[in-house]
Amino acid sequence: MSKRIAIGSDHAGFEYKTSIIQFLEQQGYIVQDFGPTSADSVDYPDFAHPVSISVEKGENDLGVLICGSANGVAMSANKHQGIRAALCWLEEISALARQHNNANIVCLPARFIDIDLAKRITGTFITTEFEGGRHAGRVGKISCA
């Protein structure tokens, strides 16, 4: 069974979102696009929260959020207790976010990385597994609930 991936962005990340959806679908992933549907100016929380809810509820396995700096979408996503959103600008950081932090949403800064790197970061994030072990106890301490 293919992993189900939720994706959303704001206007700054719209072009990247469109390209990453194609990239993921070509690899056989099932992608749910939470918008936006154009590059018109929008508010990033309006897309970060629905993506986060879908991952939190298990409707999607992992999420991808994109905005100019990735800070806004990361902050919005991390308000959800079941979400561990990681701002990633290198492939190595996305691998560690999965391996050590069991991150379930990758946040990409569209204004600071090129589209090819964004695709590689996303691919690494989705294919890397959580190591568990000594990291599991640490991840268990992240939630405030």
Side-chain angles (χ1 to χ4, degrees), residues 96-141:
L96 288 171
R98 289 286 298 134
Q99 291 167 339
H100 293 187
N101 309 116
N102 200 17
N104 49 16
I105 295 180
V106 63
C107 300
L108 304 170
R111 292 188 175 137
F112 297 92
I113 60 174
D114 67 41
I115 188 61
D116 291 328
L117 179 55
K119 289 176 186 175
R120 291 194 312 272
I121 290 168
T122 301
T124 297
F125 186 84
I126 289 170
T127 58
T128 302
E129 297 296 327
F130 178 50
E131 290 179 355
R134 71 183 193 277
H135 304 294
R138 296 170 184 155
V139 170
K141 293 179 179 183

Coordinates of all heavy atoms in Angstrom, one line a residue, residues 96-141:
L96 N 17.2 13.2 9.5 CA 17.3 13.2 11.0 C 16.0 13.6 11.6 O 15.6 13.0 12.7 CB 18.4 14.2 11.4 CG 19.8 13.8 11.2 CD1 20.8 14.9 11.5 CD2 20.2 12.6 12.0
A97 N 15.2 14.4 11.0 CA 13.9 14.8 11.6 C 13.0 13.5 11.6 O 12.2 13.3 12.6 CB 13.2 15.8 10.7
R98 N 13.1 12.6 10.6 CA 12.3 11.4 10.7 C 13.0 10.4 11.6 O 12.3 9.8 12.4 CB 12.3 10.8 9.2 CG 11.4 11.5 8.3 CD 9.9 11.4 8.6 NE 9.5 10.0 8.4 CZ 8.7 9.3 9.3 NH1 8.2 9.9 10.3 NH2 8.4 8.1 9.0
Q99 N 14.3 10.2 11.5 CA 15.0 9.1 12.2 C 15.0 9.4 13.7 O 14.7 8.5 14.5 CB 16.5 9.1 11.8 CG 16.7 8.5 10.4 CD 18.1 8.7 9.9 OE1 18.9 9.6 10.4 NE2 18.5 8.0 8.9
H100 N 15.2 10.6 14.1 CA 15.4 10.9 15.6 C 14.2 11.6 16.2 O 14.0 11.4 17.4 CB 16.6 11.9 15.8 CG 17.9 11.2 15.4 ND1 19.1 11.8 15.7 CD2 18.2 10.0 14.9 CE1 20.1 11.1 15.3 NE2 19.6 9.9 14.8
N101 N 13.4 12.3 15.4 CA 12.2 13.0 16.0 C 10.9 12.5 15.6 O 9.9 13.0 16.0 CB 12.3 14.5 15.6 CG 13.7 15.1 15.9 OD1 14.4 15.5 15.0 ND2 14.1 15.1 17.2
N102 N 10.9 11.5 14.7 CA 9.6 10.9 14.2 C 8.7 12.0 13.7 O 7.5 12.0 13.9 CB 8.9 10.1 15.2 CG 7.9 9.1 14.6 OD1 7.9 8.9 13.4 ND2 7.0 8.6 15.4
A103 N 9.3 13.0 13.0 CA 8.6 14.1 12.4 C 7.6 13.5 11.4 O 7.8 12.5 10.7 CB 9.5 15.1 11.7
N104 N 6.4 14.1 11.4 CA 5.3 13.6 10.4 C 4.9 14.7 9.4 O 4.1 14.4 8.5 CB 4.1 13.0 11.2 CG 3.6 13.9 12.3 OD1 3.9 15.1 12.4 ND2 2.8 13.3 13.2
I105 N 5.5 15.9 9.5 CA 5.2 16.9 8.4 C 6.6 17.6 8.2 O 7.3 18.0 9.1 CB 4.2 17.9 8.9 CG1 2.8 17.3 9.0 CG2 4.1 19.1 7.8 CD1 1.7 18.2 9.4
V106 N 6.9 17.6 6.9 CA 8.1 18.4 6.5 C 7.7 19.8 6.0 O 6.7 19.9 5.3 CB 8.9 17.6 5.4 CG1 8.1 17.5 4.1 CG2 10.3 18.3 5.1
C107 N 8.4 20.8 6.4 CA 8.1 22.2 6.1 C 9.2 22.7 5.3 O 10.4 22.7 5.7 CB 7.9 23.0 7.3 SG 6.5 22.4 8.4
L108 N 8.9 23.2 4.1 CA 9.9 23.6 3.1 C 9.9 25.1 2.9 O 8.8 25.7 2.6 CB 9.7 22.9 1.8 CG 9.6 21.4 1.8 CD1 9.2 20.8 0.5 CD2 11.0 20.9 2.2
P109 N 11.1 25.8 2.9 CA 11.2 27.2 2.7 C 11.4 27.6 1.2 O 12.5 27.6 0.7 CB 12.4 27.6 3.5 CG 13.3 26.4 3.5 CD 12.3 25.2 3.4
A110 N 10.3 27.8 0.5 CA 10.4 28.0 -1.0 C 11.2 29.1 -1.4 O 11.8 29.1 -2.5 CB 9.0 28.2 -1.5
R111 N 11.4 30.1 -0.6 CA 12.2 31.3 -1.0 C 13.7 31.1 -0.7 O 14.5 32.0 -1.0 CB 11.7 32.6 -0.3 CG 10.3 33.0 -0.8 CD 9.9 34.3 -0.3 NE 8.6 34.7 -0.9 CZ 7.6 35.2 -0.2 NH1 7.7 35.5 1.1 NH2 6.5 35.6 -0.9
F112 N 14.1 30.0 -0.2 CA 15.5 29.8 0.2 C 16.1 28.5 -0.3 O 17.3 28.3 -0.1 CB 15.6 29.8 1.8 CG 15.2 31.1 2.3 CD1 13.9 31.4 2.7 CD2 16.2 32.2 2.4 CE1 13.6 32.7 3.2 CE2 15.8 33.4 2.9 CZ 14.5 33.7 3.3
I113 N 15.3 27.6 -1.0 CA 15.8 26.4 -1.6 C 15.2 26.3 -3.0 O 14.2 26.8 -3.3 CB 15.5 25.1 -0.8 CG1 14.0 24.9 -0.6 CG2 16.2 25.2 0.6 CD1 13.6 23.6 0.0
D114 N 16.0 25.6 -3.9 CA 15.4 25.5 -5.2 C 14.5 24.3 -5.3 O 14.5 23.4 -4.4 CB 16.5 25.4 -6.3 CG 17.4 24.2 -6.2 OD1 16.9 23.1 -6.0 OD2 18.6 24.4 -6.4
I115 N 13.7 24.2 -6.3 CA 12.7 23.1 -6.4 C 13.3 21.7 -6.5 O 12.7 20.8 -5.9 CB 11.8 23.4 -7.7 CG1 10.6 22.4 -7.6 CG2 12.5 23.3 -9.0 CD1 9.7 22.5 -6.4
D116 N 14.5 21.6 -7.1 CA 15.1 20.2 -7.1 C 15.5 19.8 -5.7 O 15.3 18.6 -5.3 CB 16.3 20.2 -8.0 CG 15.9 20.3 -9.5 OD1 14.8 19.8 -9.9 OD2 16.6 20.9 -10.3
L117 N 16.0 20.7 -4.9 CA 16.4 20.4 -3.5 C 15.1 20.1 -2.7 O 15.0 19.2 -1.9 CB 17.2 21.5 -2.9 CG 17.6 21.3 -1.4 CD1 18.3 20.0 -1.2 CD2 18.4 22.5 -0.9
A118 N 14.0 20.9 -3.0 CA 12.8 20.6 -2.3 C 12.2 19.2 -2.5 O 11.8 18.6 -1.6 CB 11.7 21.7 -2.7
K119 N 12.4 18.8 -3.8 CA 11.9 17.4 -4.1 C 12.8 16.4 -3.4 O 12.3 15.4 -2.9 CB 12.0 17.2 -5.6 CG 10.9 18.0 -6.4 CD 11.1 17.8 -7.9 CE 10.2 18.6 -8.7 NZ 10.4 18.5 -10.1
R120 N 14.1 16.6 -3.4 CA 15.0 15.6 -2.7 C 14.7 15.6 -1.2 O 14.7 14.5 -0.6 CB 16.5 16.0 -3.0 CG 16.9 15.7 -4.5 CD 18.4 15.7 -4.7 NE 19.1 16.8 -4.1 CZ 19.3 18.0 -4.7 NH1 18.8 18.3 -5.9 NH2 20.0 19.0 -4.0
I121 N 14.5 16.7 -0.6 CA 14.2 16.8 0.8 C 12.9 16.0 1.1 O 12.8 15.2 2.0 CB 14.1 18.2 1.3 CG1 15.5 18.9 1.3 CG2 13.4 18.3 2.7 CD1 15.4 20.4 1.5
T122 N 11.9 16.3 0.3 CA 10.6 15.6 0.4 C 10.8 14.1 0.3 O 10.3 13.3 1.1 CB 9.6 16.1 -0.6 OG1 9.4 17.5 -0.4 CG2 8.2 15.4 -0.4
G123 N 11.5 13.7 -0.8 CA 11.7 12.2 -1.0 C 12.4 11.6 0.1 O 12.1 10.5 0.6
T124 N 13.5 12.2 0.7 CA 14.2 11.7 1.8 C 13.3 11.6 3.0 O 13.3 10.6 3.7 CB 15.4 12.6 2.1 OG1 16.3 12.6 1.0 CG2 16.1 12.2 3.4
F125 N 12.5 12.6 3.3 CA 11.6 12.6 4.4 C 10.6 11.5 4.4 O 10.4 10.8 5.3 CB 10.8 14.0 4.4 CG 10.0 14.2 5.7 CD1 10.6 14.7 6.8 CD2 8.6 13.9 5.6 CE1 9.8 14.9 8.0 CE2 7.9 14.1 6.7 CZ 8.4 14.6 7.9
I126 N 10.0 11.3 3.2 CA 9.0 10.2 3.1 C 9.5 8.8 3.1 O 8.9 7.9 3.6 CB 8.2 10.5 1.8 CG1 7.4 11.8 1.9 CG2 7.3 9.3 1.4 CD1 6.7 12.3 0.7
T127 N 10.8 8.6 2.7 CA 11.3 7.3 2.6 C 12.1 6.9 3.9 O 12.5 5.7 4.0 CB 12.2 7.1 1.4 OG1 13.2 8.0 1.4 CG2 11.4 7.2 0.1
T128 N 12.4 7.9 4.7 CA 13.2 7.6 5.9 C 12.2 7.2 7.1 O 11.2 7.7 7.3 CB 14.0 8.8 6.4 OG1 14.8 9.2 5.3 CG2 14.8 8.6 7.6
E129 N 12.6 6.2 7.8 CA 11.8 5.6 8.9 C 12.4 6.1 10.3 O 13.6 6.4 10.4 CB 11.8 4.1 8.9 CG 11.2 3.5 7.7 CD 9.7 3.8 7.5 OE1 9.0 3.9 8.6 OE2 9.2 4.0 6.4
F130 N 11.5 6.2 11.3 CA 11.9 6.5 12.6 C 12.7 5.4 13.2 O 12.4 4.2 13.1 CB 10.6 6.7 13.4 CG 10.8 7.0 14.9 CD1 11.7 8.0 15.3 CD2 10.1 6.4 15.9 CE1 11.9 8.3 16.6 CE2 10.3 6.7 17.2 CZ 11.2 7.6 17.6
E131 N 13.8 5.7 13.9 CA 14.7 4.7 14.4 C 14.2 4.1 15.7 O 14.6 3.0 16.1 CB 16.1 5.3 14.7 CG 16.9 5.5 13.4 CD 18.2 6.1 13.6 OE1 18.6 6.4 14.8 OE2 19.0 6.3 12.6
G132 N 13.3 4.8 16.4 CA 12.8 4.3 17.7 C 14.0 4.3 18.7 O 14.8 5.2 18.8
G133 N 14.0 3.2 19.5 CA 15.0 3.1 20.5 C 15.1 4.2 21.5 O 14.1 4.7 22.0
R134 N 16.4 4.7 21.7 CA 16.6 5.8 22.6 C 15.8 7.1 22.2 O 15.5 7.9 23.1 CB 18.1 6.1 22.7 CG 18.7 6.8 21.5 CD 20.2 7.0 21.7 NE 20.8 7.8 20.7 CZ 21.2 7.5 19.5 NH1 21.0 6.2 19.1 NH2 21.7 8.3 18.7
H135 N 15.5 7.2 20.9 CA 14.7 8.4 20.5 C 13.3 8.3 20.9 O 12.7 9.4 21.0 CB 14.9 8.5 18.9 CG 16.3 8.6 18.5 ND1 17.1 9.6 18.8 CD2 17.0 7.7 17.8 CE1 18.3 9.4 18.3 NE2 18.3 8.3 17.6
A136 N 12.7 7.2 21.0 CA 11.3 7.1 21.3 C 10.9 7.8 22.6 O 9.9 8.5 22.7 CB 10.9 5.6 21.4
G137 N 11.7 7.6 23.7 CA 11.4 8.3 24.9 C 11.5 9.8 24.8 O 10.7 10.5 25.4
R138 N 12.4 10.3 24.0 CA 12.6 11.7 23.8 C 11.4 12.3 23.0 O 10.8 13.3 23.4 CB 13.8 12.0 23.0 CG 15.1 11.7 23.8 CD 16.3 11.7 22.9 NE 17.5 11.3 23.7 CZ 18.6 10.8 23.2 NH1 18.7 10.7 21.9 NH2 19.6 10.4 23.9
V139 N 11.0 11.5 22.0 CA 9.8 12.0 21.2 C 8.5 12.0 22.1 O 7.7 12.9 22.0 CB 9.6 11.1 20.0 CG1 8.3 11.4 19.3 CG2 10.8 11.3 19.0
G140 N 8.5 11.0 23.0 CA 7.3 10.9 23.9 C 7.2 12.1 24.9 O 6.1 12.4 25.4
K141 N 8.3 12.8 25.0 CA 8.3 14.0 25.9 C 8.0 15.3 25.2 O 7.9 16.4 25.8 CB 9.7 14.2 26.6 CG 10.0 13.1 27.6 CD 11.4 13.3 28.1 CE 11.7 12.2 29.2 NZ 13.0 12.4 29.8

